[in-house]
Structure formats: structure tokens, C-alpha cells
Amino acid sequence: MKVGNCMTRNVQVASPEQSIREVAEIMGRLDAGVMPVGDHDRLVGMITDRDIAIRGVALGKGPDTKVRDVMSSEVKYCFDDEDVEHVLENMGDLQVRRLPVLNRDKRLVGIISLGDLATNGESAEAGEALSDISKPGGEHSQTAH
């Protein structure tokens, strides 16, 4: 199965110039913990609720701080024509639960999550990826520091 067959389309995209308050409000309405950040139809970063909390609030930055000041600019992504099995393996290796999906022109066309994959017939592979993601010592582990 290809990623394009099971990804979420019509993804809300944040602007690097938006405030973290605006993005947090949008995340709340969407019940999402992550948003791609785009600038002129190009993916330039990702922002998570954790970025807002750790790189924003915890460092004393206010609600009017720009997304560009707290987002992750090194973005891992996949392509819509990639095989799901390959992407799941990469998600496990990268220890991420979701990836932005680009077409071969490098335009954002969706986002893929472990949940998307698990509900679209790839539950065993999604479970294996989750096992890899959940291993201690990852980027977000409390034991890594």
C-alpha cells in the first residue's frame, strides 16, 4: 500500500509568522498536537504542542512569540508514493509518530500518523513501529539526559 492511500489530506498549515497562541488555539480546535509550518507553499518546519511548552513557555517566551522561534526546522518527511512498510520502518528508526507527506514536487499533500496506518490495515506494522518509537533513550526520553 502507498502512503497516499491512507494519509490525512487537507492538513491545516501554520505560518512561521503566526503567534504560538494562535497555533495553540488551532491545535486545540483540531485536537492535534502537531502542525506543519509552511511558507509560500513550501514546508519549512513542524511545530508541536511540546515545542510551544518547552521552547516557548519554559524559556519565558510569551504568547505572541512567532512560530519560527520555536518550531523544528529540520523536518523529516515521506513521499505520497512510498510504500507504507518502508515509511513505518523509518518512523520507528526516527522515533516519530507522524510525518508530513510531500509529493515529488516537494509540496505538502498530507500527513501520515501511526493511527492512520493502524486503521488502514497496517496494524501489525504500526505496532512494531510504535514499539521502536517507544524505546527508552529517544530524543524525547526522560532517561536520555
Side-chain angles (χ1 to χ4, degrees), residues 1-142:
M1 180 184 303
K2 301 293 183 189
V3 169
N5 295 333
C6 55
M7 69 183 186
T8 299
R9 297 177 187 275
N10 302 320
V11 177
Q12 180 87 36
V13 178
S15 161
E17 298 304 313
Q18 279 182 288
S19 72
I20 59 175
R21 177 196 328 242
E22 286 178 272
V23 172
E25 289 171 354
I26 294 167
M27 287 178 171
R29 280 196 309 270
L30 296 173
D31 191 28
V34 64
M35 285 180 66
V37 181
D39 189 23
H40 297 97
D41 199 27
R42 289 288 183 187
L43 181 66
V44 297
M46 295 288 281
I47 186 163
T48 66
D49 47 8
R50 188 175 193 284
D51 292 330
I52 293 169
I54 303 301
R55 293 183 186 160
V57 176
L59 296 178
K61 295 181 180 179
D64 295 324
T65 299
K66 301 293 184 198
V67 166
R68 67 175 138 65
D69 295 331
V70 300
M71 71 181 195
S72 298
S73 55
E74 185 179 321
V75 181
K76 307 296 185 197
Y77 58 87
C78 63
F79 291 107
D80 59 351
D81 61 355
E82 284 187 80
D83 287 325
V84 166
E85 293 82 13
H86 178 254
V87 171
L88 275 166
E89 187 176 314
N90 284 346
M91 291 172 84
D93 292 344
L94 295 169
Q95 293 191 306
V96 297
R97 295 172 189 264
R98 52 189 69 79
L99 286 172
V101 181
L102 307 181
N103 64 21
R104 290 296 173 172
D105 292 327
K106 294 214 173 173
R107 302 286 191 240
L108 182 70
V109 294
I111 196 162
I112 190 86
S113 70
L114 288 180
D116 293 332
L117 296 166
T119 59
N120 283 290
E122 302 294 333
S123 56
E125 290 87 351
E128 187 175 320
L130 181 58
S131 175
D132 290 340
I133 291 164
S134 301
K135 286 181 182 170
E139 180 181 344
H140 303 295
S141 171
Q142 292 181 4

